Amino acid sequence: MARTVRFHELGGPEVLRLEEVPVGPPGPGELLIRVDAIGVNRAEALFRGGDYIEAPRRFPATLGAEASGVVEAVGPGVTGFEPGRAVSVVPGFSMNDYGVYAERAIVPAAAVLHRPDGLDAVRGAAVWMPYLTAYGALVEVGGMRAGDTVVLTAASSSVGLAAIRVARRVGAVPIAATRTRAKAERLRAAGAAEVVVTGEEGVRERVLALTGGRGAEFVFDAVAGPGVLELAGAVAPGGTLLMYGALSGEPTPYPGFELGMPALNMRTFTAQEITTDPGRLRRAEAFVTSGLSDGSFEPAVDRVFGLDEIADAHRYMEAGTQVGKIVVAVRH
């Protein structure tokens, strides 16, 4: 038996229950992991509330796609892992099939990476989703390179902070966008070349001024909704608006026609474009591990909760005041 977070109906953080659930042996292609820490992501709150890109297929439902821990057992056909190996689980599966909000969890081996030496459990649960998302969208898919400018919305999120560091590492110029001045200095300290306070100034006007009227080669947006009209106006000719989230919860218009049909690329992105493609995941793992090794990358942990505080962790995430990653440390 293992303490496992489940929910029996859609709703807010109050629907989360910590229950004793049996855990069997891993099947073909699977690993049994002793979970030491869990990375909390917005996708899990959306899944819990029925607002994610997929809905729970059955109840009780499980949660969680990012964690760190130690391999306890190896399923048939799995190679490259052995009991006792420190690992991280990355979001490479549906939460309808697997969940890591638990003391012990079965996960697909294809979604497990060796945890680099020197990376403890909490940081091992905070590093992969942010950096895989930022690298995957901007470098692997977008082709960001030295000299490019990238505008980052929700810049104080774990993905936003990772994107600042990824941009810096390839020689690009990160411009962070944040709603108030409360987080501006912390974003500059994290490496943002400039900070746009969207509650006080327009993104388009500020970005065009900062780039000599050219605009940004990339806008990396977690918000979507009607604000894409403003963001698209800040994109350079031939540039790309990448949307990896929909925090606004509002319909997202296509801005091309309203803006006079500029040379605008616009696409959505999820981390699973990287985590479910072995070649892309291999390149991403090498890029992130290299950055961790030379100090260019660092997991940004905002606050750590206990497993019995999972509902509080979700409430804290939904309040939106964090700078970096929320992690749940699992007690054994």
Side-chain angles (χ1 to χ4, degrees):
M1 303 291 282
R3 292 195 304 161
T4 302
V5 176
R6 303 197 297 183
F7 59 105
H8 296 252
E9 60 182 328
L10 300 178
E14 70 280 356
V15 304
L16 299 176
R17 299 284 182 268
L18 191 56
E19 302 172 337
E20 293 284 347
V21 176
V23 182
E30 295 178 334
L31 296 171
L32 171 61
I33 304 294
R34 186 196 77 206
V35 180
D36 292 331
I38 300 161
V40 179
N41 296 302
R42 180 72 60 172
E44 290 128 38
L46 295 172
F47 188 70
R48 181 206 71 218
D51 299 315
Y52 191 48
I53 54 178
E54 61 174 335
R57 290 198 298 261
R58 68 186 73 84
F59 292 105
T62 56
L63 273 176
E66 183 179 24
S68 66
V70 175
V71 175
E72 285 196 341
V74 178
V78 175
T79 60
F81 296 97
E82 66 284 332
R85 165 73 71 171
V87 295
S88 291
V89 182
V90 300
F93 48 84
S94 168
M95 287 184 284
N96 276 307
D97 300 324
Y98 300 95
V100 299
Y101 277 24
E103 291 179 322
R104 298 164 74 229
I106 301 290
V107 293
V112 178
L113 302 177
H114 293 170
R115 196 192 322 159
D117 292 339
L119 204 62
D120 62 23
V122 168
R123 295 190 303 150
V127 67
W128 288 108
M129 189 285 294
Y131 281 98
L132 292 179
T133 302
Y135 163 85
L138 293 170
V139 180
E140 181 76 31
V141 171
M144 182 176 64
R145 55 192 176 183
D148 287 344
T149 296
V150 56
V151 177
L152 310 167
T153 68
S156 60
S157 68
S158 60
V159 174
L161 294 172
I164 290 173
R165 290 179 179 266
V166 168
R168 285 291 193 185
R169 193 156 202 267
V170 302
V173 180
I175 298 175
T178 185
R179 285 176 295 177
T180 69
R181 291 200 174 274
K183 298 176 181 179
E185 286 308 314
R186 295 182 71 177
L187 290 169
R188 290 190 182 94
E194 299 285 348
V195 177
V196 179
V197 180
T198 59
E200 302 175 8
E201 54 191 337
V203 174
R204 179 180 181 275
E205 290 77 7
R206 181 75 188 284
V207 171
L208 291 176
L210 289 169
T211 59
R214 185 185 76 252
E217 281 71 28
F218 297 94
V219 172
F220 192 40
D221 179 41
V223 181
V228 299
L229 294 172
E230 173 85 1
L231 294 176
V235 178
T240 302
L241 172 56
L242 284 158
M243 296 180 297
Y244 71 97
L247 295 177
S248 74
E250 299 182 62
T252 301
Y254 176 71
F257 296 111
E258 185 165 332
L259 295 176
M261 298 180 69
L264 170 70
N265 302 302
M266 184 175 174
R267 84 186 299 279
T268 54
F269 175 85
T270 73
Q272 290 202 10
E273 289 191 48
I274 304 300
T275 58
T276 60
D277 182 313
R280 283 180 161 183
L281 182 57
R282 183 178 64 254
R283 291 190 293 272
E285 181 182 12
F287 182 88
V288 176
T289 300
S290 175
L292 291 170
S293 298
D294 68 14
S296 299
F297 299 159
E298 174 67 23
V301 178
D302 178 271
R303 185 170 170 183
V304 180
F305 290 81
L307 187 59
D308 58 352
E309 300 173 304
I310 189 63
D312 291 334
H314 272 229
R315 292 186 186 100
Y316 183 66
M317 176 175 58
E318 292 181 339
T321 58
Q322 76 273 16
V323 177
K325 190 80 169 182
I326 300 166
V327 176
V328 170
V330 180
R331 310 301 181 190
H332 294 283

